[in-house]
Amino acid sequence: MTESDSQFIHWFRSAAPYIRVHRGKTFVVQFDDALVYSDKFSELVHDLALLNSLGIRLVLVFGARQSIEVWLNENGQDSSFHHGVRLTDADTMELVKTAAGRLRVEIEARLSLGIGNTPMSNAKLLVSSGNYVSAKPAGIVDGVDYQFTGKVRSVDHDSIQLKLDNNEIVLIPPLGYSVTGEVFNLNSVSLAADLAVALQADKLIYLIEGSGLLDCNNELIAQLMHTEVNSLLVKGEIEESNYLDAARQACQQGVKRVQLIDREQSGAILQELFSRDGTGTMISASSYDIVRQAANEDIPGILALIEPLEKQGVLVERSREKLELEIESFQVMLRDNVIIGCAALHRFSSVRTAELACFAVHPEYHGQAMGEQLLSTMESHAKASQLENIFVLTTQAEHWFIEKGFAESTLEALPVEKKELYNYQRKSRVLMKTLV
Ligand SMILES: CC(C)(COP(=O)(O)OP(=O)(O)OC[C@H]1O[C@@H](n2cnc3c(N)ncnc32)[C@H](O)[C@@H]1OP(=O)(O)O)[C@@H](O)C(=O)NCCC(=O)NCCS
């Protein structure tokens, strides 16, 4: 077997948990016409087809911004905005309708491709579009009439769900229909957020220009909670944007994850969804995936988490003093600044093996893949320290670790220092995992 064969097999296996996690989940994906008319769009279509075939329920929302700008320029007209929102007069509205119709047909055509020897071979995607979104006029603000610019009034989520149940991809143009038979121009970024809320989507993905949300030093912010957005704005560390605003609102109304992904980066959406090495920025409704190095001020929280488990004999007892000495080897997992998980990685001087110890998730959060996430972080740290394997001594979670790739081992395989300290009364099982 060649190295690239084994890399492929390793990659495919490592994607398996994500394939299971995402199956049956609803993702709303927004992109602009600049992407549709670029040479990157074919790759995106292939990736969307793959997501559909993996059982992900997809709602695609497109914008027509570039088409409108080009037309206005060609006709010597200026774009008019008020509070960052486009004013749409009757002529512009006709253009929006034309642009949206063309885009819809173009996207449907691309999703219908089924040429052999391409990623679209045998894809047979069904695409559905329709009057799922009702709109109302944005109205008059500060004496400025937005005319045909609209706001979402309601989303026919039941009809969309039926289409998704039928494995169809739902395609939503930036248009909304009113009860009076009028059509309104909608901002596709906020429309995507409204749809994600109405469908209680698991993810809202924006394919944007640029790598994600940047801080004032132009560094990428990989993740943040929606509750952090305001304070970062006030401190001037990030700039207000349409995406940020929509992401914050979506999270406030129950969407768990909003992702800003670079539309230029090939396969970024797959990397984001099927590997731990995501790209772009993730704005989350809760902080459950914040895992960080523990500090002394975390000791009370760690003790509160592990003391009940020590009393039950699940974990070995640790005094506060011992914890203080070892705190640097601990990672903690937080939700809303409360410690809900912890783990330590103890190294040994002469061998490339470390002990995964004091591994615990608060019982209230069991079964939400937090343990898996914590383990993955610990493994990444171990790999970064050039360790070859990690072991755990456990009395009650043997099967859990075996399911996560650990194998039964023996006392003999442990580093000498650990062997000498082994507590024969606890009869803990020794489990070892080779890091690849
Ligand atoms: C082991 C532990 C960390 C798992 O945390 P978690 O966040 O619930 O784990 P996940 O959500 O990733 O996995 C949940 C799955 O593992 C299973 N599971 C949980 N604990 C298990 C155990 N002790 N043995 C076998 N399976 C277990 C659950 O049934 C669930 O399976 P399912 O969803 O397929 O039904 C957590 O149960 C814990 O803190 N245990 C006490 C501390 C401990 O034993 N530590 C190990 C010694 S250091």
Side-chain angles (χ1 to χ4, degrees):
M1 192 189 288
T2 65
E3 196 179 330
S4 78
D5 284 342
S6 55
Q7 270 176 358
F8 168 75
I9 291 167
H10 170 67
W11 171 84
F12 203 35
R13 285 180 180 151
S14 66
Y18 301 100
I19 295 174
R20 281 194 292 273
V21 162
H22 297 319
R23 186 181 298 281
K25 299 280 163 51
T26 303
F27 296 173
V28 175
V29 183
Q30 187 275 351
F31 48 85
D32 255 324
D33 52 349
L35 177 60
V36 179
Y37 293 128
S38 79
D39 56 4
K40 297 279 170 202
F41 193 59
S42 297
E43 283 177 357
L44 176 66
V45 167
H46 297 163
D47 293 349
L48 294 172
L50 178 60
L51 298 185
N52 173 264
S53 64
L54 292 173
I56 293 170
R57 299 154 69 87
L58 287 175
V59 177
L60 310 181
V61 184
F62 62 88
R65 191 186 180 97
Q66 180 178 277
S67 309
I68 300 170
E69 301 283 342
V70 169
W71 184 87
L72 290 174
N73 281 342
E74 280 173 0
N75 288 278
Q77 294 186 32
D78 288 333
S79 301
S80 312
F81 289 89
H82 186 62
H83 292 312
V85 178
R86 184 188 298 281
L87 311 183
T88 314
D89 60 21
D91 286 347
T92 311
M93 191 60 227
E94 284 310 306
L95 166 76
V96 175
K97 285 194 231 171
T98 310
R102 273 198 194 145
L103 278 158
R104 179 185 152 181
V105 173
E106 181 65 32
I107 298 167
E108 284 178 356
R110 300 289 279 276
L111 288 167
S112 307
L113 268 171
I115 303 170
N117 288 335
T118 73
M120 297 299 284
S121 176
N122 293 321
K124 287 200 182 92
L125 300 180
L126 274 176
V127 186
S128 165
S129 201
N131 60 341
Y132 300 122
V133 178
S134 315
K136 58 188 176 190
I140 300 166
V141 178
D142 308 328
V144 177
D145 188 349
Y146 281 100
Q147 303 179 63
F148 288 95
T149 298
K151 282 183 184 170
V152 172
R153 182 171 174 185
S154 65
V155 170
D156 185 353
H157 49 85
D158 287 344
S159 299
I160 296 179
Q161 297 289 13
L162 278 176
K163 297 290 176 190
L164 296 174
D165 290 346
N166 197 35
N167 200 25
E168 293 174 39
I169 293 180
V170 176
L171 183 61
I172 305 281
L175 301 175
Y177 303 90
S178 80
V179 278
T180 55
E182 281 171 307
V183 187
F184 288 94
N185 178 19
L186 302 177
N187 175 304
S188 64
V189 174
S190 29
L191 170 60
D194 286 326
L195 281 154
V197 170
L199 295 165
Q200 283 300 289
D202 300 280
K203 273 183 202 294
L204 167 59
I205 298 173
Y206 287 113
L207 298 173
I208 63 163
E209 193 180 357
S211 52
L213 185 64
L214 302 180
D215 66 14
C216 50
N217 300 317
N218 255 354
E219 303 264 345
L220 179 75
I221 301 178
Q223 55 171 273
L224 76 164
M225 270 197 306
H226 76 95
T227 46
E228 292 175 289
V229 170
N230 268 351
S231 68
L232 290 174
L233 283 171
V234 170
K235 285 189 221 153
E237 288 182 23
I238 53 173
E239 278 177 24
E240 187 61 90
S241 79
N242 208 352
Y243 294 108
L244 202 53
D245 207 31
R248 193 171 30 178
Q249 282 184 24
C251 286
Q252 274 164 0
Q253 293 176 69
V255 177
K256 294 182 205 96
R257 296 269 184 281
V258 181
Q259 263 143 338
L260 307 181
I261 299 179
D262 187 352
R263 67 184 184 203
E264 289 291 318
Q265 195 186 321
S266 174
I269 199 164
L270 298 184
Q271 193 180 351
E272 183 64 54
L273 295 173
F274 298 104
S275 77
R276 282 240 158 247
D277 314 315
T279 65
T281 299
M282 181 172 77
I283 300 163
S284 57
S286 69
S287 62
Y288 87 61
D289 52 0
I290 290 182
V291 180
R292 62 155 170 78
Q293 167 71 50
N296 277 335
E297 53 272 25
D298 297 320
I299 289 175
I302 298 177
L303 285 171
L305 172 70
I306 64 176
E307 269 169 1
L309 294 165
E310 291 174 354
K311 288 208 177 86
Q312 293 161 27
V314 175
L315 294 180
V316 179
E317 282 196 13
R318 266 177 189 74
S319 64
R320 176 181 278 268
E321 290 69 24
K322 189 164 190 299
L323 205 51
E324 275 171 14
L325 287 173
E326 292 178 345
I327 196 69
E328 275 185 9
S329 57
F330 272 78
Q331 296 281 322
V332 282
M333 179 177 239
L334 297 110
R335 175 180 272 194
D336 297 332
N337 289 326
V338 174
I339 293 175
I340 59 160
C342 70
L345 204 57
H346 296 315
R347 285 151 216 210
F348 299 89
S349 47
S350 54
V351 284
R352 289 203 170 173
T353 291
E355 180 186 9
L356 181 64
C358 205
F359 191 90
V361 169
H362 191 284
E364 267 181 34
Y365 299 92
H366 282 179
Q368 297 178 33
M370 306 247 172
E372 192 178 343
Q373 198 179 348
L374 189 56
L375 178 61
S376 165
T377 306
M378 301 311 283
E379 287 180 11
S380 301
H381 283 287
K383 279 187 214 167
S385 309
Q386 314 294 323
L387 293 171
E388 284 168 1
N389 44 46
I390 50 174
F391 67 89
V392 63
L393 300 186
T394 179
T395 53
Q396 313 232 337
E398 180 187 7
H399 285 192
W400 189 86
F401 284 104
I402 287 175
E403 278 176 27
K404 305 286 178 263
F406 282 74
E408 285 205 32
S409 185
T410 59
L411 208 51
E412 292 314 308
L414 299 183
V416 187
E417 305 99 297
K418 186 68 199 176
K419 242 184 281 183
E420 284 167 0
L421 289 174
Y422 183 79
N423 179 339
Y424 284 88
Q425 278 175 347
R426 276 182 67 78
K427 295 199 177 73
S428 307
R429 298 248 186 250
V430 180
L431 301 172
M432 184 88 69
K433 182 167 183 179
T434 306
L435 303 168
V436 280

